[in-house]
Coordinates of all heavy atoms in Angstrom, one line a residue:
M1 N 0.8 -1.2 0.0 CA 0.0 0.0 0.0 C 0.9 1.3 0.0 O 1.9 1.3 0.5 CB -0.9 0.0 1.2 CG -2.0 -1.1 1.2 SD -3.2 -0.8 0.0 CE -4.1 0.7 0.6
A2 N 0.4 2.3 -0.6 CA 1.1 3.6 -0.7 C 1.2 4.2 0.7 O 0.5 3.8 1.7 CB 0.4 4.5 -1.6
Y3 N 2.1 5.1 0.8 CA 2.3 5.8 2.1 C 1.3 6.9 2.2 O 0.8 7.5 1.2 CB 3.7 6.4 2.2 CG 4.7 5.4 2.7 CD1 5.1 4.4 1.8 CD2 5.3 5.5 3.9 CE1 6.1 3.4 2.3 CE2 6.3 4.6 4.3 CZ 6.6 3.5 3.5 OH 7.6 2.6 3.9
Q4 N 0.9 7.3 3.4 CA 0.0 8.4 3.7 C 0.6 9.3 4.8 O 1.4 8.8 5.6 CB -1.4 7.9 4.2 CG -2.2 7.2 3.1 CD -3.6 6.8 3.6 OE1 -3.8 6.8 4.8 NE2 -4.4 6.6 2.6
I5 N 0.3 10.6 4.8 CA 0.8 11.5 5.8 C -0.3 11.9 6.8 O -1.4 12.3 6.4 CB 1.4 12.8 5.1 CG1 2.6 12.4 4.2 CG2 1.7 13.9 6.1 CD1 3.1 13.5 3.3
S6 N 0.0 11.7 8.0 CA -1.0 12.0 9.1 C -1.1 13.4 9.4 O -0.3 14.3 8.9 CB -0.6 11.2 10.4 OG 0.5 11.9 11.0
D7 N -2.0 13.8 10.3 CA -2.3 15.2 10.7 C -1.1 15.7 11.5 O -1.1 16.9 11.9 CB -3.6 15.3 11.4 CG -4.8 15.0 10.5 OD1 -4.6 15.1 9.3 OD2 -5.9 14.8 11.0
D8 N -0.2 14.9 11.9 CA 1.0 15.3 12.7 C 1.9 16.2 11.8 O 2.8 16.8 12.4 CB 1.8 14.1 13.2 CG 1.0 13.4 14.3 OD1 0.1 14.0 14.9 OD2 1.3 12.2 14.5
C9 N 1.8 16.2 10.5 CA 2.6 16.9 9.6 C 2.7 18.4 10.0 O 1.7 19.1 10.2 CB 2.1 16.8 8.2 SG 3.0 17.8 7.0
I10 N 3.9 18.9 10.1 CA 4.2 20.3 10.4 C 4.6 21.1 9.1 O 5.0 22.3 9.2 CB 5.2 20.5 11.5 CG1 6.5 19.8 11.1 CG2 4.7 19.9 12.8 CD1 7.7 20.1 12.0
K11 N 4.4 20.5 8.0 CA 4.6 21.2 6.7 C 6.1 21.7 6.5 O 6.3 22.8 6.1 CB 3.6 22.3 6.5 CG 2.2 21.8 6.4 CD 1.2 22.9 6.1 CE 1.2 23.2 4.6 NZ 0.1 24.2 4.3
C12 N 7.0 20.9 6.9 CA 8.4 21.3 6.8 C 8.9 21.2 5.3 O 9.9 21.8 4.9 CB 9.3 20.5 7.7 SG 9.6 18.8 7.3
G13 N 8.3 20.3 4.6 CA 8.7 20.1 3.2 C 9.8 19.1 2.9 O 10.2 18.8 1.8
A14 N 10.4 18.5 4.0 CA 11.5 17.6 3.8 C 11.2 16.4 3.0 O 12.0 15.9 2.2 CB 12.0 17.2 5.2
C15 N 10.0 15.9 3.2 CA 9.6 14.6 2.5 C 9.5 14.9 1.0 O 9.9 14.1 0.2 CB 8.3 14.1 3.0 SG 6.9 15.3 3.0
A16 N 8.9 16.0 0.6 CA 8.7 16.3 -0.8 C 10.0 16.4 -1.5 O 10.2 16.0 -2.7 CB 7.9 17.6 -0.9
A17 N 11.0 17.0 -0.8 CA 12.3 17.1 -1.4 C 13.0 15.8 -1.6 O 13.8 15.6 -2.5 CB 13.2 18.0 -0.5
E18 N 12.7 14.8 -0.8 CA 13.3 13.5 -0.8 C 12.6 12.5 -1.8 O 13.2 11.5 -2.3 CB 13.3 12.8 0.6 CG 14.4 13.4 1.5 CD 15.8 13.2 1.0 OE1 16.1 12.0 0.6 OE2 16.6 14.1 1.0
C19 N 11.4 12.7 -2.0 CA 10.6 11.7 -2.8 C 11.2 11.6 -4.2 O 11.2 12.6 -5.0 CB 9.1 12.1 -2.9 SG 8.1 10.9 -3.8
P20 N 11.6 10.4 -4.6 CA 12.2 10.2 -6.0 C 11.2 10.3 -7.1 O 11.7 10.5 -8.3 CB 12.8 8.8 -5.9 CG 11.8 8.1 -4.9 CD 11.5 9.1 -3.9
V21 N 9.9 10.2 -6.9 CA 9.0 10.3 -8.0 C 8.1 11.5 -7.8 O 7.0 11.6 -8.5 CB 8.1 9.0 -8.0 CG1 9.0 7.8 -8.4 CG2 7.4 8.7 -6.7
S22 N 8.5 12.5 -7.0 CA 7.7 13.7 -6.8 C 6.2 13.5 -6.5 O 5.3 14.1 -7.1 CB 7.8 14.6 -8.0 OG 9.2 15.0 -8.2
A23 N 5.9 12.5 -5.7 CA 4.6 12.1 -5.3 C 4.0 13.0 -4.2 O 2.8 12.9 -3.9 CB 4.5 10.7 -5.0
I24 N 4.8 13.8 -3.6 CA 4.4 14.6 -2.4 C 4.2 16.1 -2.8 O 5.2 16.7 -3.3 CB 5.3 14.4 -1.3 CG1 5.6 12.9 -1.0 CG2 4.8 15.1 0.0 CD1 6.6 12.6 0.1
T25 N 3.1 16.6 -2.5 CA 2.8 18.0 -2.7 C 2.2 18.7 -1.5 O 1.7 18.0 -0.6 CB 1.9 18.2 -3.9 OG1 0.7 17.5 -3.6 CG2 2.5 17.8 -5.2
E26 N 2.3 20.0 -1.4 CA 1.8 20.7 -0.3 C 0.3 20.9 -0.4 O -0.2 21.4 -1.4 CB 2.5 22.1 -0.2 CG 2.1 22.9 1.1 CD 2.8 24.2 1.2 OE1 3.6 24.6 0.3 OE2 2.6 24.9 2.2
G27 N -0.4 20.4 0.7 CA -1.8 20.6 0.7 C -2.2 21.8 1.6 O -1.4 22.5 2.1
D28 N -3.5 21.9 1.9 CA -3.9 23.0 2.7 C -3.5 22.9 4.2 O -2.9 23.9 4.7 CB -5.5 23.1 2.7 CG -6.0 23.5 1.4 OD1 -5.3 24.2 0.6 OD2 -7.2 23.2 1.1
D29 N -3.6 21.8 4.8 CA -3.3 21.6 6.2 C -2.0 20.7 6.4 O -1.5 20.7 7.5 CB -4.4 21.0 6.9 CG -5.7 21.8 6.8 OD1 -5.6 23.1 6.9 OD2 -6.8 21.3 6.7
K30 N -1.6 20.0 5.4 CA -0.4 19.1 5.5 C 0.0 18.8 4.1 O -0.7 19.1 3.2 CB -0.8 17.9 6.3 CG -1.9 17.0 5.6 CD -2.3 15.8 6.4 CE -3.4 15.0 5.7 NZ -3.8 13.8 6.4
Y31 N 1.2 18.1 4.1 CA 1.6 17.6 2.8 C 0.9 16.4 2.5 O 0.4 15.6 3.4 CB 3.1 17.4 2.8 CG 3.9 18.6 2.5 CD1 3.9 19.8 3.3 CD2 4.7 18.7 1.3 CE1 4.6 20.9 2.9 CE2 5.5 19.8 1.0 CZ 5.4 20.9 1.8 OH 6.1 22.1 1.5
V32 N 0.7 16.1 1.2 CA -0.1 14.9 0.8 C 0.6 14.1 -0.2 O 1.4 14.6 -1.0 CB -1.5 15.3 0.2 CG1 -2.4 15.9 1.3 CG2 -1.3 16.3 -0.9
I33 N 0.4 12.8 -0.2 CA 1.0 11.8 -1.1 C 0.0 11.4 -2.2 O -1.1 10.9 -1.8 CB 1.6 10.6 -0.3 CG1 2.7 11.1 0.6 CG2 2.1 9.5 -1.3 CD1 3.2 10.0 1.6
D34 N 0.4 11.4 -3.4 CA -0.4 10.9 -4.5 C -0.2 9.3 -4.5 O 0.9 8.8 -4.9 CB 0.1 11.4 -5.8 CG -0.7 10.9 -7.0 OD1 -1.4 9.9 -6.9 OD2 -0.5 11.5 -8.1
A35 N -1.2 8.6 -4.1 CA -1.1 7.2 -3.9 C -0.8 6.5 -5.2 O -0.1 5.4 -5.2 CB -2.4 6.6 -3.3
D36 N -1.2 7.0 -6.3 CA -0.9 6.4 -7.6 C 0.5 6.5 -8.0 O 1.0 5.7 -8.8 CB -1.9 7.0 -8.7 CG -3.3 6.6 -8.4 OD1 -3.6 5.5 -7.9 OD2 -4.2 7.4 -8.8
A37 N 1.2 7.6 -7.5 CA 2.6 7.8 -7.9 C 3.6 7.2 -7.0 O 4.7 6.9 -7.4 CB 2.8 9.3 -8.0
C38 N 3.2 7.1 -5.7 CA 4.1 6.5 -4.7 C 4.6 5.1 -5.0 O 3.8 4.3 -5.4 CB 3.4 6.5 -3.3 SG 4.3 5.8 -2.0
V39 N 5.9 5.0 -4.9 CA 6.5 3.6 -5.2 C 7.0 3.0 -3.9 O 7.7 2.0 -3.9 CB 7.7 3.8 -6.2 CG1 7.2 4.2 -7.6 CG2 8.8 4.7 -5.7
E40 N 6.5 3.5 -2.8 CA 6.7 2.8 -1.5 C 8.2 2.7 -1.1 O 8.6 1.6 -0.6 CB 5.9 1.5 -1.4 CG 4.4 1.7 -1.7 CD 3.8 0.3 -2.0 OE1 4.2 -0.7 -1.4 OE2 2.9 0.3 -2.9
C41 N 9.0 3.7 -1.4 CA 10.4 3.6 -1.1 C 10.7 3.8 0.4 O 11.7 3.4 0.9 CB 11.2 4.5 -2.0 SG 10.9 6.3 -1.5
G42 N 9.8 4.6 1.0 CA 10.0 4.8 2.5 C 10.9 6.0 2.8 O 11.1 6.3 3.9
S43 N 11.4 6.7 1.8 CA 12.3 7.9 2.0 C 11.6 9.0 2.8 O 12.2 9.6 3.7 CB 12.7 8.5 0.7 OG 13.6 7.6 0.0
C44 N 10.3 9.2 2.6 CA 9.6 10.3 3.3 C 9.5 9.9 4.8 O 9.7 10.8 5.6 CB 8.2 10.5 2.7 SG 7.2 8.9 2.5
E45 N 9.3 8.7 5.1 CA 9.2 8.3 6.5 C 10.5 8.5 7.1 O 10.6 8.9 8.3 CB 8.8 6.8 6.5 CG 8.5 6.3 7.9 CD 8.1 4.8 7.9 OE1 8.4 4.0 7.0 OE2 7.3 4.4 8.8
G46 N 11.6 8.2 6.4 CA 13.0 8.4 7.0 C 13.4 9.8 7.3 O 14.1 10.0 8.2
V47 N 12.9 10.7 6.5 CA 13.4 12.1 6.7 C 12.4 13.0 7.6 O 12.8 14.0 8.1 CB 13.6 12.9 5.4 CG1 14.7 12.2 4.6 CG2 12.3 13.0 4.6
C48 N 11.2 12.5 7.8 CA 10.2 13.3 8.5 C 10.5 13.4 10.0 O 10.8 12.4 10.7 CB 8.8 12.7 8.4 SG 7.5 13.6 9.2
P49 N 10.6 14.7 10.5 CA 11.0 14.9 11.9 C 9.9 14.5 12.9 O 10.2 14.4 14.1 CB 11.3 16.4 12.0 CG 10.4 17.0 10.9 CD 10.4 15.9 9.8
V50 N 8.7 14.3 12.4 CA 7.6 14.0 13.4 C 6.9 12.7 13.1 O 5.9 12.3 13.6 CB 6.5 15.1 13.4 CG1 7.1 16.4 13.9 CG2 5.9 15.3 12.0
G51 N 7.5 11.9 12.2 CA 7.0 10.6 11.9 C 5.6 10.6 11.3 O 4.8 9.6 11.5
A52 N 5.3 11.6 10.5 CA 3.9 11.6 9.9 C 3.7 10.7 8.8 O 2.5 10.1 8.7 CB 3.7 13.1 9.4
P53 N 4.6 10.4 7.9 CA 4.3 9.4 6.8 C 4.3 8.0 7.3 O 5.2 7.6 8.1 CB 5.5 9.7 5.8 CG 6.1 10.9 6.2 CD 5.9 11.0 7.7
A54 N 3.4 7.2 6.9 CA 3.3 5.8 7.3 C 2.6 5.0 6.2 O 1.8 5.6 5.5 CB 2.6 5.6 8.6
Q55 N 2.9 3.8 6.1 CA 2.3 2.9 5.1 C 0.9 2.7 5.5 O 0.6 2.3 6.7 CB 3.1 1.6 4.9 CG 3.1 1.1 3.5 CD 4.2 0.2 3.2 OE1 4.9 -0.2 4.1 NE2 4.4 -0.1 2.0
A56 N -0.1 2.9 4.6 CA -1.5 2.8 4.9 C -1.9 1.3 5.0 O -1.2 0.5 4.4 CB -2.3 3.5 3.9
Ligands
LIG101 FE1 7.6 9.3 -2.3 FE2 8.8 7.1 -1.4 FE3 7.3 8.5 0.3 FE4 6.2 7.1 -1.7 S1 7.3 6.3 0.1 S2 5.7 9.2 -1.1 S3 7.7 7.3 -3.3 S4 9.2 9.2 -0.7
LIG102 FE1 5.1 16.9 6.9 FE2 6.9 15.2 7.8 FE3 6.7 15.8 5.2 FE4 7.7 17.6 6.9 S1 8.6 15.6 6.3 S2 6.2 18.0 5.3 S3 6.4 17.2 8.7 S4 5.2 14.8 6.4

């Protein structure tokens, strides 16, 4: 399953910079992952300071 970003996101942008397929974009309240584009590499989970991305 693709990764999803929880409401814990503080919109730092680190995950979007790390995503190899540019699946992460800034949303209104948090960053969001395009589930169709995500290749489940886990990079976003690795760089997030608050542990917001997780596999759904
Ligand atoms: Fe991008 Fe990888 Fe995170 Fe999916 S798991 S959103 S491909 S960084
Ligand atoms: Fe949000 Fe974490 Fe991504 Fe930063 S790295 S924008 S806190 S999900």
Side-chain angles (χ1 to χ4, degrees):
M1 292 293 290
Y3 278 69
Q4 289 185 341
I5 293 173
S6 77
D7 292 343
D8 290 338
C9 175
I10 56 173
K11 300 185 77 173
C12 72
C15 56
E18 285 295 317
C19 182
V21 294
S22 300
I24 308 176
T25 54
E26 185 175 3
D28 290 338
D29 300 320
K30 62 182 181 181
Y31 273 63
V32 291
I33 294 172
D34 179 347
D36 291 329
C38 176
V39 295
E40 300 164 38
C41 70
S43 292
C44 52
E45 185 176 30
V47 298
C48 182
V50 296
Q55 214 156 12

